Amino acid sequence: MKKLVIDPVTRVEGHGKVTINLDENNKVKDSFFHIVEFRGFERFIQGHPYWEAPVLVQRLCGICPVSHHLAAAKAIDQIVGLNPEDLSLPAQKIRKLLHYGQIFQSHALHFFYLASPDLLFGFDVAPNKRNVVGVAIEFPELAKKGILMRKFGQEIIKMVAGKRIHGISATPGGVHKKISAKERDYFLNGEEIPSIDTMIEWSKEIINFIKVYHSKNSKWLDEFATYDSGHLGLVDKKTGFLELYDGNLRAIDALGNITLDDVPADDYQKYFYEGVEKWSYLKFPYLKHLGREKGWNRVGPLARINVCNGISTPLAEFERLVFTAASGGKTNNMTMYSHWARLIEILHCAEMMKELLEDDSILSNDLTRRGERRNEGIGIIEAPRGTLIHHYEVDEKDRITRCNLIVSTTHNNEPMNHAVRWVANNVINNKPEVTESMLNQVEVAIRAYDPCLSCATHALGQMPLEISLFNHQGNLIDVKRS
Amino acid sequence: MLKEVKHKGIVFGIGNTGRQDDGLGWLFLDHLKSKGFNKYDLEYRYQLQIEDAELISRYQNVLFVDASKDEIEEGFYTKICRPSEKYSFTTHELMPETILFLAQTLYHAKPEAKILAIKGYQWELKNGISKKAMINMKKAEDFLLND
């Protein structure tokens, strides 16, 4: 048996590894996407006072700390006796502004820096060109817009939370920092950085780019890593529309049948189990009533667009209708459409940021509330990569006694393994030679999910790409390093 | 249009204060601030980001300060930093040379750039700079302030 190893997977956040086992005739026997690092945040946060949770857990990640900060904050709000709707309206709006800024910058980073090289250059171009520096050389105007869009989102985060990475905004029951008119106007007037209106225009432009790209490359985009799956996401409690900050949990199967019918997020434990495998530190969440085989779901942009009834902002809603029409109005199980869905969310976030920035109530001093103390809190939000669950229990001395985190990438563990299996079976299977292009396609399939493996576990140190080839006796016969 | 920057130069302190001597870059900036250094703008970074190319395109002079594991007899060194399109395959490592290359390619900016490397010795998951690294940092600080 031969063993192909991609370690680490590149242009993703964190450290993952792929193993593909081949027999003597290069027929794929099995494949795995492993998460090989261990972290243990759930354990070491125990004993800390509950109010430290939003500050500590955001250290899970340097890319999406805001998502962890806010999910933990929503949970801690419950411990001080407040449900999401009990917070002051200014506090809710400021948190949402922070959240939309985070998703906007994270999606921009993923599309422009990580994913666009695959789309712009294709699988067969040399790896030393297939990266963001290559994009900067060949497509400088696109690269410049990508840089400034990410910067805009980061500046929003900096305004609300004090700094771009690991800032602090939320406190139990609200937010601690008031926004000044001067700070707000910075994003509206376009004098110092491109304005929010420019962000909306550029978001529309990049959606037009991806639509044209799909029209020219429909065959491979429609077929590549396409497989049936469930889809999970939050939806608005009243309208069933796309909801990123607070809503009900909805899941559908590959045909669009409801499998989780708008249940309150706080009830997640009634519906989910987490499976384990000995070859990965990452768990495998699934819906209890459907079982381990059928109960797994994709999360993230594609899933969210699939499960929602609509989008509240007009420009993004128009693009959702175009997107839905592309799959004939059916549930979209085509993995590569994740990029298109992600860009629709970029536009939605830009529209929402404009609405919030133009709302003078975000300048209010009415920032915190208090209620009746509870011993348990659950916070669920839609992080850039999908549904993020934080759950804490505390004792009478305010110390955390139990913590459960189900991060977005954990939900996508089974889907990413399916993606790897699809490429192994359809691209690598029975080929006389395994090329770099083939191996990159494994990564392209994983990359569509924008996995954040740092959140799921941990990543330290240098991360060169290393591919090791073993013969059927398990002996190493070749190593390629990028 | 982007806002005009306050100074002609910028200093990046790069590192992680939670990893002992890896925090030398940040500590260096802290010391400059405490001594009232106001010739350059100061920026703290865990790692350089692609958007830093846009930032440095607005400056004439750039200094990247980072800890180094290399053997450095004097405890620190400076060297001229030149643009290079060399790029690592993750988002987790972006070299100053690449940032300069992107600034040049995207913004036609060619700031004069230097790297200040300060020798460190300990890299565990702890706060605090080792005594030997602290001596090196003060030498580097004296050098910069008297330059």
Side-chain angles (χ1 to χ4, degrees):
Chain A
M1 186 177 73
K2 292 176 187 173
K3 181 190 284 186
L4 289 169
V5 180
I6 303 175
D7 180 16
V9 177
T10 59
R11 279 190 279 137
V12 299
E13 307 300 348
H15 191 142
K17 170 184 166 184
V18 171
T19 303
I20 301 170
N21 292 314
L22 310 173
D23 69 11
E24 294 82 350
N25 300 313
N26 280 356
K27 185 173 169 49
V28 173
K29 293 188 69 172
D30 49 33
S31 63
F32 304 96
F33 177 46
H34 320 257
I35 308 300
V36 293
E37 305 289 345
F38 179 73
R39 198 151 202 194
F41 258 77
E42 290 162 319
R43 178 65 187 85
F44 78 66
I45 199 168
Q46 291 177 20
H48 285 266
Y50 68 78
W51 54 83
E52 288 185 358
V55 180
L56 289 177
V57 292
Q58 65 171 335
R59 297 280 168 168
L60 277 160
C61 186
I63 301 298
C64 47
V66 169
S67 305
H68 290 288
H69 182 63
L70 289 175
K74 284 182 68 182
I76 300 311
D77 290 339
Q78 293 186 346
I79 291 171
V80 298
L82 299 170
N83 294 325
E85 61 275 15
D86 299 329
L87 268 64
S88 73
L89 280 176
Q92 291 182 43
K93 288 174 182 175
I94 289 169
R95 284 194 186 181
K96 286 180 181 177
L97 180 59
L98 176 64
H99 192 41
Y100 292 123
Q102 153 71 1
I103 293 178
F104 188 79
Q105 69 88 19
S106 177
H107 281 1
L109 181 153
H110 181 261
F111 185 77
F112 291 101
Y113 297 2
L114 305 181
S116 73
D118 295 321
L119 304 180
L120 295 167
F121 298 121
F123 300 140
D124 298 326
V125 168
N128 62 2
K129 181 177 180 183
R130 201 176 54 217
N131 57 53
V132 70
V133 174
V135 173
I137 294 169
E138 300 282 337
F139 304 93
E141 291 309 311
L142 184 77
K144 280 196 276 191
K145 285 177 181 168
I147 286 172
L148 289 175
M149 288 173 77
R150 172 157 150 82
K151 186 185 173 84
F152 188 94
Q154 288 181 315
E155 292 284 297
I156 288 280
I157 294 169
K158 188 177 173 185
M159 173 184 69
V160 177
K163 53 183 184 173
R164 296 186 305 178
I165 301 173
H166 299 148
I168 300 170
S169 169
T171 53
V175 295
H176 78 89
K177 179 180 171 292
K178 181 184 181 305
I179 294 174
S180 72
K182 185 182 175 189
E183 287 175 317
R184 185 270 303 272
D185 292 347
Y186 173 79
F187 298 97
L188 293 175
N189 60 27
E191 292 174 2
E192 299 177 42
I193 61 170
S195 71
I196 184 61
D197 289 321
T198 303
M199 293 301 114
I200 290 173
E201 286 308 308
W202 288 356
S203 300
K204 286 161 61 181
E205 279 179 28
I206 196 65
I207 292 177
N208 286 335
F209 164 83
I210 199 84
K211 286 192 288 194
V212 171
Y213 188 84
H214 268 264
S215 69
K216 291 179 179 173
N217 299 277
S218 61
K219 183 169 169 46
W220 84 267
L221 289 168
D222 289 3
E223 292 177 358
F224 186 82
T226 291
Y227 45 86
D228 284 354
S229 75
H231 301 267
L232 169 70
L234 291 178
V235 294
D236 183 89
K237 292 171 184 172
K238 292 177 182 169
T239 62
F241 278 19
L242 175 71
E243 175 54 52
L244 300 174
Y245 180 72
D246 185 56
N248 286 334
L249 286 163
R250 180 186 289 179
I252 60 173
D253 66 16
L255 299 175
N257 302 306
I258 296 280
T259 53
L260 193 63
D261 193 2
D262 293 18
V263 302
D266 291 354
D267 291 342
Y268 85 96
Q269 287 183 109
K270 291 182 187 170
Y271 302 100
F272 288 93
Y273 272 142
E274 291 181 273
V276 293
E277 299 289 350
K278 61 185 177 185
W279 43 268
S280 178
Y281 279 121
L282 203 54
K283 293 178 184 176
F284 293 81
Y286 60 92
L287 290 168
K288 288 180 187 179
H289 66 282
L290 294 179
R292 176 83 168 79
E293 287 295 310
K294 293 184 178 176
W296 54 275
N297 296 286
R298 300 186 208 218
V299 296
L302 181 64
R304 289 192 286 250
I305 299 292
N306 273 326
V307 301
C308 73
N309 295 345
I311 300 179
S312 62
T313 52
L315 299 174
E317 171 60 6
F318 173 79
E319 296 299 342
R320 185 192 71 86
L321 293 171
V322 174
F323 179 87
T324 305
S327 59
K330 297 176 182 171
T331 300
N332 190 324
N333 294 293
M334 296 177 275
T335 300
M336 294 307 287
Y337 279 64
S338 302
H339 299 300
W340 187 351
R342 191 170 287 113
L343 297 178
I344 293 172
E345 288 193 339
I346 278 193
L347 178 58
H348 173 60
C349 290
E351 289 182 281
M352 287 304 301
M353 285 192 287
K354 178 176 168 65
E355 184 179 315
L356 290 165
L357 287 166
E358 290 178 343
D359 182 342
D360 283 346
S361 69
I362 67 166
L363 309 179
S364 166
N365 285 316
D366 180 15
L367 300 179
T368 54
R369 293 272 194 278
R370 276 295 161 99
E372 191 172 331
R373 170 79 156 68
R374 306 172 196 169
N375 289 328
E376 186 176 15
I378 296 169
I380 303 185
I381 64 168
E382 286 294 329
R385 294 156 184 84
T387 312
L388 171 64
I389 300 172
H390 279 225
H391 184 175
Y392 303 92
E393 290 175 12
V394 300
D395 63 17
E396 296 309 315
K397 293 181 178 175
D398 294 339
R399 292 176 304 204
I400 294 169
T401 55
R402 178 176 173 268
C403 168
N404 187 37
L405 309 176
I406 304 179
V407 304
S408 322
T409 296
T410 311
H411 289 289
N412 276 332
N413 196 4
E414 187 70 49
M416 287 189 291
N417 270 281
H418 271 68
V420 169
R421 212 166 296 143
W422 188 96
V423 178
N425 290 330
N426 292 277
V427 177
I428 294 172
N429 192 35
N430 286 329
K431 297 294 189 301
E433 184 188 2
V434 178
T435 63
E436 194 279 334
S437 167
M438 291 177 182
L439 294 172
N440 182 47
Q441 290 180 61
V442 176
E443 298 189 277
V444 168
I446 294 169
R447 222 173 268 136
Y449 288 91
D450 186 17
C452 192
L453 309 179
S454 315
C455 287
T457 52
H458 193 23
L460 293 172
Q462 294 182 333
M463 296 194 283
L465 173 63
E466 181 174 308
I467 302 162
S468 305
L469 186 62
F470 295 84
N471 67 15
H472 64 283
Q473 294 170 317
N475 300 317
L476 184 67
I477 56 174
D478 192 15
V479 176
K480 289 180 183 174
R481 287 192 181 89
S482 59
Chain B
M1 289 296 293
L2 292 164
K3 185 183 182 181
E4 284 297 311
V5 296
K6 206 184 315 180
H7 298 103
K8 290 181 179 176
I10 184 168
V11 184
F12 287 92
I14 304 164
N16 182 350
T17 53
R19 280 198 163 262
Q20 293 188 293
D21 292 350
D22 193 31
L24 278 166
W26 285 35
L27 190 68
F28 188 83
L29 298 196
D30 288 346
H31 274 237
L32 290 183
K33 271 187 182 174
S34 70
K35 296 198 171 175
F37 179 84
N38 60 3
K39 283 165 65 179
Y40 284 18
D41 288 332
L42 306 177
E43 286 286 332
Y44 295 77
R45 291 286 185 274
Y46 289 107
Q47 60 204 11
L48 293 169
Q49 303 280 336
I50 290 169
E51 48 272 23
D52 287 327
E54 186 275 325
L55 180 59
I56 68 166
S57 72
R58 292 181 274 147
Y59 288 91
Q60 292 177 16
N61 299 290
V62 184
L63 178 65
F64 300 99
V65 184
D66 201 355
S68 174
K69 288 181 176 176
D70 294 343
E71 285 304 321
I72 306 171
E73 197 173 333
E74 298 297 320
F76 76 95
Y77 68 79
T78 60
K79 69 172 184 180
I80 292 173
C81 181
R82 293 194 170 82
S84 165
E85 60 183 285
K86 186 180 173 189
Y87 178 68
S88 89
F89 292 89
T90 77
T91 57
H92 295 78
E93 184 187 17
L94 206 51
M95 298 164 65
E97 291 86 350
T98 313
I99 295 294
L100 283 176
F101 176 81
L102 288 169
Q104 185 173 305
T105 305
L106 294 174
Y107 303 102
H108 312 294
K110 295 181 180 176
E112 287 187 15
K114 285 185 177 178
I115 293 172
L116 169 58
I118 306 171
K119 171 133 184 79
Y121 304 89
Q122 294 176 0
W123 315 94
E124 296 302 314
L125 284 164
K126 289 180 189 171
N127 289 324
I129 304 289
S130 68
K131 285 182 182 174
K132 287 164 72 179
M134 188 66 85
I135 292 168
N136 294 339
M137 196 215 63
K138 286 181 177 167
K139 283 187 195 171
E141 184 187 336
D142 290 342
F143 174 82
L144 183 82
L145 293 174
N146 295 323
D147 188 20

